[in-house]
Amino acid sequence: MDIVKKLEWRYAVKRFNPNRIVTKEKIERLKKAFNLTATSYGLQPIKMVVLKNKEIQSQLVAISYNQQQVLQASHILILCREKVINADYIIDYFKRVQEIRGTSSTILNPFKEQMITNFNEKTEDQIAQWAINQAYLVLGNLLTVCAAEEIDACPMEGFIPTAYDKILELDKKGLASVLVMPIGYRAEDDIFSEFKKVRKDTTDCVIEIE
């Protein structure tokens, strides 16, 4: 597989074919890719909602500034941040490290205490922004995996998070929506699929230091 060719193939879909559905096997691959995405400290402050319900998708169109991809898509991936990231959350992470790797408390405790101190010194807004940044890492990885799997996608910031949170009852789960990504397969009449990519030359956006 030539990943660059796959990235040249992908684009932000403007019109999905509503009759084509992403298979369960491919959804499972995306779920695993989501879970394997790198996050700061390895804390994984992001959860992903996988939505495949046309009735709910229809409700989301108006609060997505009438972007029809939300209804047309096979599935909607909603990336959400954990609203509470505190000492207990960090302690749970280090318990998981011990369970999986068998690392001793003697080695882990200094790192754990340092991380707890670091987060205690942050404001709620700073922690929220840190978590939001992780959602963008996840989005970038998912876009690449979708391209590799030849699944079309349309990353979206254009939606009303609080309205999504209410309809999907994310508040009850301690979550806040950050990004939305409809996925599926492009419609044959989506003229944007034929447009050339508009990008700077690599010499204008890459600086090499040897």
Side-chain angles (χ1 to χ4, degrees), residues 65-210:
Y65 302 103
N66 291 314
Q67 295 179 87
Q68 296 300 310
Q69 299 99 311
V70 172
L71 176 59
Q72 298 161 354
S74 168
H75 295 69
I76 310 294
L77 308 183
I78 302 107
L79 300 179
C80 310
R81 66 175 176 87
E82 298 272 8
K83 294 175 74 173
V84 177
I85 300 169
N86 54 18
D88 289 338
Y89 189 94
I90 293 167
I91 289 168
D92 283 343
Y93 165 72
F94 279 93
K95 285 179 180 177
R96 196 155 56 249
V97 173
Q98 280 192 299
E99 290 171 3
I100 293 172
R101 294 180 176 170
T103 311
S104 72
S105 298
T106 303
I107 294 173
L108 291 178
N109 282 346
F111 296 105
K112 178 176 67 177
E113 296 305 321
Q114 182 182 21
M115 198 179 296
I116 290 171
T117 299
N118 180 274
F119 274 81
N120 282 341
E121 291 173 351
K122 295 180 187 294
T123 65
E124 285 188 16
D125 286 345
Q126 286 173 327
I127 293 174
Q129 186 58 57
W130 169 82
I132 289 168
N133 292 345
Q134 310 314 304
Y136 281 89
L137 287 175
V138 172
L139 178 71
N141 194 45
L142 286 174
L143 283 172
T144 301
V145 174
C146 280
E149 295 287 330
E150 293 194 351
I151 300 168
D152 284 302
C154 182
M156 291 181 176
E157 294 178 300
F159 70 104
I160 302 171
T162 52
Y164 262 67
D165 297 350
K166 183 176 181 180
I167 289 175
L168 300 174
E169 298 187 337
L170 297 178
D171 283 337
K172 295 178 181 179
K173 299 176 175 67
L175 302 172
S177 55
V178 177
L179 294 164
V180 172
M181 190 168 79
I183 62 169
Y185 298 98
R186 64 192 67 178
E188 290 184 4
D189 61 352
D190 187 354
I191 61 173
F192 287 87
S193 66
E194 303 299 325
F195 287 5
K196 291 183 177 180
K197 287 193 182 297
V198 179
R199 296 289 191 275
K200 295 179 180 179
D201 190 271
T202 53
T203 58
D204 292 331
C205 59
V206 177
I207 298 171
E208 294 190 53
I209 301 174
E210 297 181 355

